[in-house]
Amino acid sequence: MAHSEMTYGAHARAVLTLGLPLVGGHVAQFAVNLTDTVMLGWYGVDELAAVVLGGQLFFLAFILGSGFAFAVMPLVAAALADEDETLIRRTSRMGIWLSVIYGLVMIPIFWWSKPIFVALGQDPALSEAAQSYLRIAGLGIVPALIIMVLKSFLAALEHTRVVFWITVLAAATNALVNYALIFGNWGAPELGIIGAAIASLVVQFVMVTGAVIYTLGKLPQYDLFTRLWKPDFDAMKRVFLLGVPIGFTTLAEVGLFAAGAVMMGWLGTVQLAAHGIALNLAGLMFMVHLGLGNAATVRAGNAYGRHDVEHLARGARVAIFMSLAFAVFSIIVFITWPEWLMSLFLGRDDPNFDIIIQVGATLLLAAAFFQFVDGAQALALGILRGIMDTRVPMIMAAISYWAVGVPASYFAGFVLGWGGVGVWVGLGLGLGVAALLLMWRFWVVRIAEMRNAAPVEA
């Protein structure tokens, strides 16, 4: 059967075969951060708020640098369709180069992060604790970015199960080290937030080691680490030009939620802690959309490499439908069990338990409001990356998240006086505008251009 003649059922099976391990990998990766939040929530609200604050800065820097890794995925997928092993190797190596350079630049920012938090209106004591966390956990940004490149390399080659198992190993390691070092169990010292930082650093090195061993053992034909020291400026330029818009696009979205965290911090430590828990729960659901989006990127990249427009369109419809179906499930969960979900992150003896549960449950109801649009914008971005379209989506995302989402959050939260719920309504509005613009970009503009054999804009 020709690729363009695949039935929707065949597309669905292909997306699930590729996407489910990626979803599992994203969920396991998210579990690393989730474990920090849960265990520090048991340890103390102040420590939880500090990690929410410090974790947001780390994630902002990490997600910007991840643009190079995300660029590797469609480039390798397209090269695989052309059976160009040399280009696969060159692209992946330079993705590692750019990621390491970027990570080294970010470490000093983490080391002296307290003034940044204070300038954003955060409590000085909370800022000091967040900086202490980042001075250890921030060192992990280099291995974290390397593992992102290796994950993209493996996913594009459809070796997705190993990505899942490596991440599961990392999540289990994080839970064990957290349990020992945060609370002082098994004879270890009680380090609180510093223990969580050490655990996060250990996890990054565990993941890199696992991915390197697998690549050397199972994919020796690509010689990925041979002459790794040698720069390849042509391949580096390709990864850079595709990766920078991807990084800024993702940064714009993550920055929207980071701005939301800053605004919640203005409302108080309790509100910020509740926001962190609710955001973790919403983020856990988002990992499914992200995994489907990654699968869509790989499949779109393969179709793009073969110039098969109908295969691309059918595959996109299937992936988007799957995302919408999961959004329905997410909404049901958030509306049905908000208080119980929030209670998983807190100790019952915490003096702020009741108020955090109350605030967080309300935020989860607001989160249910944007499940459809959050998934839709993630899938649209994934498909557009697969066809090497990143510049215009970057502009669309920046407008949606920052010209619409952030002002709407401030207006609803503080001018209208809706508080935390208003902040989250604004977040949902920004995501909704992004979903509409990006879907229009793919279905109305790019599909028409490709059918008319118009030049493709990277």
Side-chain angles (χ1 to χ4, degrees):
M1 180 186 294
H3 286 285
S4 58
E5 297 174 355
M6 285 180 64
T7 64
Y8 283 111
H11 274 288
R13 288 189 293 273
V15 170
L16 288 174
T17 299
L18 181 62
L20 285 179
L22 290 173
V23 169
H26 283 304
V27 170
Q29 178 65 51
F30 191 80
V32 173
N33 299 324
L34 194 64
T35 301
D36 290 346
T37 303
V38 170
M39 291 192 176
L40 285 168
W42 294 342
Y43 191 77
V45 172
D46 289 340
E47 288 79 7
L48 172 59
V51 166
V52 169
L53 196 59
Q56 282 290 333
L57 180 58
F58 181 91
F59 193 58
L60 281 173
F62 170 75
I63 210 66
L64 176 60
S66 295
F68 303 126
F70 285 127
V72 166
M73 190 180 294
L75 288 170
V76 169
L80 182 65
D82 290 335
E83 300 181 349
D84 191 340
E85 291 187 1
T86 300
L87 184 57
I88 291 173
R89 177 170 58 252
R90 292 171 61 203
T91 297
S92 302
R93 283 178 181 167
M94 291 305 100
I96 294 174
W97 263 69
L98 288 168
S99 296
V100 170
I101 293 169
Y102 172 86
L104 293 175
V105 171
M106 288 297 107
I107 288 176
I109 296 176
F110 298 145
W111 193 264
W112 290 288
S113 55
K114 179 181 176 180
I116 298 174
F117 297 131
V118 173
L120 291 172
Q122 303 303 308
D123 177 77
L126 186 66
S127 301
E128 178 71 32
Q131 177 179 268
S132 299
Y133 173 81
L134 284 173
R135 284 188 168 183
I136 297 173
L139 299 176
I141 192 167
V142 172
L145 291 172
I146 293 173
I147 189 61
M148 285 296 291
V149 175
L150 296 178
K151 281 183 176 182
S152 291
F153 165 77
L154 292 169
L157 297 177
E158 302 194 11
H159 286 252
T160 55
R161 291 184 182 179
V162 67
V163 172
F164 168 70
W165 287 114
I166 288 172
T167 315
V168 167
L169 173 63
T173 302
N174 184 63
L176 292 173
V177 180
N178 262 338
Y179 186 71
L181 295 182
I182 291 176
F183 302 100
N185 290 310
W186 303 324
E190 182 181 337
L191 300 177
I193 192 173
I194 299 302
I198 294 172
S200 296
L201 184 60
V202 168
V203 160
Q204 306 301 345
F205 284 101
V206 167
M207 294 180 71
V208 166
T209 301
V212 170
I213 290 173
Y214 181 86
T215 301
L216 289 172
K218 297 295 185 179
L219 298 167
Q221 67 270 32
Y222 293 104
D223 291 323
L224 189 58
F225 305 109
T226 303
R227 295 186 299 277
L228 184 60
W229 53 267
K230 186 178 181 180
D232 182 340
F233 294 109
D234 181 59
M236 185 182 291
K237 181 180 178 182
R238 294 186 66 184
V239 176
F240 183 86
L241 291 178
L242 188 64
V244 168
I246 293 175
F248 277 107
T249 300
T250 313
L251 178 66
E253 180 182 2
V254 174
L256 169 67
F257 286 94
V262 171
M263 293 182 205
M264 295 298 291
W266 295 342
L267 294 171
T269 300
V270 167
Q271 286 80 0
L272 180 59
H275 169 82
I277 296 173
L279 193 59
N280 270 285
L281 289 166
L284 180 61
M285 297 299 186
F286 180 72
M287 293 303 103
V288 176
H289 303 297
L290 186 59
L292 291 173
N294 290 158
T297 297
V298 173
R299 291 184 56 74
N302 284 328
Y304 181 79
R306 295 190 306 271
H307 309 289
D308 191 338
V309 182
E310 298 310 316
H311 181 77
L312 170 65
R314 284 195 174 201
R317 291 189 191 100
V318 169
I320 291 168
F321 175 80
M322 289 180 175
S323 174
L324 293 176
F326 184 77
V328 173
F329 169 77
S330 302
I331 291 170
I332 293 172
V333 170
F334 285 161
I335 291 177
T336 306
W337 300 293
E339 292 87 359
W340 178 76
L341 291 170
M342 291 293 301
S343 69
L344 297 175
F345 292 76
L346 296 167
R348 292 279 176 178
D349 57 347
D350 193 300
N352 295 301
F353 180 85
D354 290 335
I355 185 63
I356 292 178
I357 293 293
Q358 180 183 345
V359 172
T362 305
L363 295 181
L364 278 184
L365 296 178
F369 159 71
F370 60 68
Q371 287 303 299
F372 283 120
V373 293
D374 201 14
Q377 60 92 27
L379 265 292
L381 280 172
I383 296 164
L384 288 167
R385 287 170 189 167
I387 62 173
M388 316 296 176
D389 187 356
T390 61
R391 295 181 194 169
V392 173
M394 175 184 66
I395 296 170
M396 289 177 167
I399 292 172
S400 302
Y401 304 142
W402 284 89
V404 177
V406 172
S409 290
Y410 180 82
F411 181 79
F414 297 92
V415 177
L416 296 181
W418 294 359
V421 172
V423 172
W424 277 58
V425 168
L427 300 180
L429 184 60
L431 293 171
V433 173
L436 289 173
L437 290 176
L438 293 168
M439 284 293 180
W440 174 82
R441 171 72 178 171
F442 177 69
W443 291 110
V444 178
V445 178
R446 296 320 310 274
I447 287 293
E449 287 180 354
M450 294 175 70
R451 282 176 173 153
N452 292 328
V456 176
E457 177 189 352

